[in-house]
């Protein structure tokens, strides 16, 4: 790309004197997250999630049904935003989160690593004891602790 300047007198800079500019666009997503813990804890007042991540930033979605829509690359999301039928419940740099607003019933979670350029990894992988079809799921009944 060439950048040309226009002098205040209205004369344009000659192309031979122009500056050449180039840049690289980051389109490489980080690796996927591995969800290691998913449990309901009455003492903690919610569903506890924990993961390992190759990235510095994590986005966690919650839904009442299977999560089929992923975040769109280069799109900024915040807690409370809706992606398909899921809600962003966590955005941050921690390796854990307790969802105290999940309420009772079956809840599905999916986690995504992302980088500073907002490249989102595919939905996180989960250990087999907390996974179903690439999601983690919890059926919450008040007053009892459970691991999933």
């Amino acid at each position: 790309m060439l950048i040309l300047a226009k002098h205040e007198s209205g004369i344009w800079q000659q192309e031979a004197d122009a500056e050449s500019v180039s840049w690289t666009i980051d389109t490489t997503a980080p690796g996927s997250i591995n969800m290691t813990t998913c449990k309901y804890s009455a003492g903690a007042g919610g569903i506890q999630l924990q993961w390992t991540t190759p990235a510095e930033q994590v986005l966690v979605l919650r839904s009442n049904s299977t999560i089929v829509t992923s975040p769109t690359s280069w799109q900024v999301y915040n807690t409370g935003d809706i992606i398909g039928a899921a809600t962003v419940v966590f955005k941050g740099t921690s390796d854990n989160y307790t969802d105290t607003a999940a309420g009772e019933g079956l809840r599905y979670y999916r986690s995504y690593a992302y980088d500073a350029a907002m490249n989102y990894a595919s939905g996180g992988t989960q250990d087999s004891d907390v996974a179903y079809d690439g999601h983690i799921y919890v059926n919450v009944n008040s007053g009892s602790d459970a691991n999933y």
Side-chain angles (χ1 to χ4, degrees):
M1 173 182 359
L2 294 177
I3 299 176
L4 300 175
K6 186 176 183 181
H7 189 270
E8 60 188 33
S9 66
I11 299 173
W12 283 95
Q13 177 183 12
Q14 296 296 312
E15 187 173 329
D17 297 329
E19 295 290 325
S20 178
V21 178
S22 65
W23 60 87
T24 302
I25 298 173
D26 177 5
T27 60
T28 304
S32 294
I33 290 172
N34 181 44
M35 190 68 68
T36 58
T37 301
C38 176
K39 65 182 180 179
Y40 174 75
S41 171
I47 298 169
Q48 296 176 315
L49 307 172
Q50 188 167 8
W51 54 82
T52 57
T53 177
E56 294 182 9
Q57 301 176 80
V58 178
L59 195 72
V60 178
L61 307 181
R62 177 189 66 220
S63 180
N64 296 336
S65 60
T66 302
I67 298 170
V68 296
T69 305
S70 297
T72 302
S73 287
W74 311 308
Q75 173 71 43
V76 176
Y77 295 100
N78 294 300
T79 303
D81 287 351
I82 304 298
I83 301 173
T87 302
V88 176
V89 294
F90 176 81
K91 175 185 177 179
T93 58
S94 178
D95 66 353
N96 65 80
Y97 169 69
T98 300
D99 187 359
T100 58
E104 292 189 19
L106 188 60
R107 300 293 178 258
Y108 293 80
Y109 293 86
R110 187 154 241 185
S111 54
Y112 299 87
Y114 67 97
D115 60 19
M118 298 299 164
N119 294 305
Y120 294 90
S122 60
T125 60
Q126 288 81 27
D127 291 346
S128 60
D129 61 340
V130 296
Y132 172 74
D133 191 29
H135 292 78
I136 61 169
Y137 62 97
V138 181
N139 193 2
V140 179
N141 296 305
S142 64
S144 60
D145 290 355
N147 290 304
Y148 297 91

Short mmCIF file of all heavy atoms in Angstrom, two decimals, residues 40-46 48 98 143-145:
data_model
loop_
_atom_site.label_atom_id
_atom_site.label_comp_id
_atom_site.label_asym_id
_atom_site.label_seq_id
_atom_site.Cartn_x
_atom_site.Cartn_y
_atom_site.Cartn_z
N TYR A 40 -20.87 -29.44 40.72
CA TYR A 40 -21.78 -28.56 41.44
C TYR A 40 -21.42 -28.65 42.92
O TYR A 40 -21.27 -29.73 43.46
CB TYR A 40 -23.24 -28.95 41.25
CG TYR A 40 -24.16 -28.12 42.12
CD1 TYR A 40 -24.42 -26.81 41.78
CD2 TYR A 40 -24.70 -28.63 43.28
CE1 TYR A 40 -25.22 -26.01 42.58
CE2 TYR A 40 -25.50 -27.85 44.09
CZ TYR A 40 -25.76 -26.54 43.74
OH TYR A 40 -26.55 -25.75 44.55
N SER A 41 -21.26 -27.51 43.56
CA SER A 41 -20.92 -27.46 44.97
C SER A 41 -21.89 -26.53 45.68
O SER A 41 -21.91 -25.33 45.41
CB SER A 41 -19.49 -26.96 45.16
OG SER A 41 -19.24 -26.73 46.53
N ALA A 42 -22.71 -27.11 46.56
CA ALA A 42 -23.65 -26.29 47.32
C ALA A 42 -22.88 -25.28 48.17
O ALA A 42 -23.30 -24.14 48.33
CB ALA A 42 -24.53 -27.17 48.19
N GLY A 43 -21.72 -25.69 48.70
CA GLY A 43 -20.91 -24.81 49.53
C GLY A 43 -20.37 -23.61 48.75
O GLY A 43 -20.28 -22.50 49.27
N ALA A 44 -19.99 -23.85 47.50
CA ALA A 44 -19.49 -22.75 46.66
C ALA A 44 -20.63 -21.97 46.04
O ALA A 44 -20.42 -20.89 45.48
CB ALA A 44 -18.59 -23.30 45.56
N GLY A 45 -21.82 -22.51 46.12
CA GLY A 45 -23.00 -21.81 45.61
C GLY A 45 -23.14 -21.83 44.10
O GLY A 45 -23.78 -20.96 43.52
N GLY A 46 -22.54 -22.83 43.46
CA GLY A 46 -22.69 -22.89 42.01
C GLY A 46 -21.89 -24.01 41.37
O GLY A 46 -21.40 -24.91 42.04
N GLN A 48 -18.69 -25.30 39.58
CA GLN A 48 -17.27 -24.98 39.52
C GLN A 48 -16.66 -25.60 38.26
O GLN A 48 -16.79 -26.79 38.02
CB GLN A 48 -16.54 -25.50 40.75
CG GLN A 48 -17.02 -24.84 42.04
CD GLN A 48 -16.37 -25.44 43.26
OE1 GLN A 48 -16.27 -26.64 43.40
NE2 GLN A 48 -15.91 -24.56 44.15
N THR A 98 -16.57 -20.11 38.90
CA THR A 98 -17.74 -20.68 39.55
C THR A 98 -18.97 -19.93 39.06
O THR A 98 -19.08 -18.72 39.25
CB THR A 98 -17.64 -20.60 41.08
OG1 THR A 98 -16.48 -21.33 41.50
CG2 THR A 98 -18.88 -21.19 41.75
N GLY A 143 -29.07 -28.28 46.86
CA GLY A 143 -28.76 -28.92 48.11
C GLY A 143 -27.83 -30.11 48.04
O GLY A 143 -27.51 -30.69 49.08
N SER A 144 -27.37 -30.53 46.88
CA SER A 144 -26.48 -31.68 46.83
C SER A 144 -25.25 -31.38 45.98
O SER A 144 -25.34 -30.68 44.98
CB SER A 144 -27.21 -32.90 46.26
OG SER A 144 -27.65 -32.62 44.96
N ASP A 145 -24.11 -31.90 46.41
CA ASP A 145 -22.88 -31.74 45.66
C ASP A 145 -22.77 -32.87 44.65
O ASP A 145 -23.23 -33.98 44.90
CB ASP A 145 -21.65 -31.80 46.57
CG ASP A 145 -21.55 -30.58 47.48
OD1 ASP A 145 -22.37 -29.66 47.30
OD2 ASP A 145 -20.65 -30.56 48.32
#
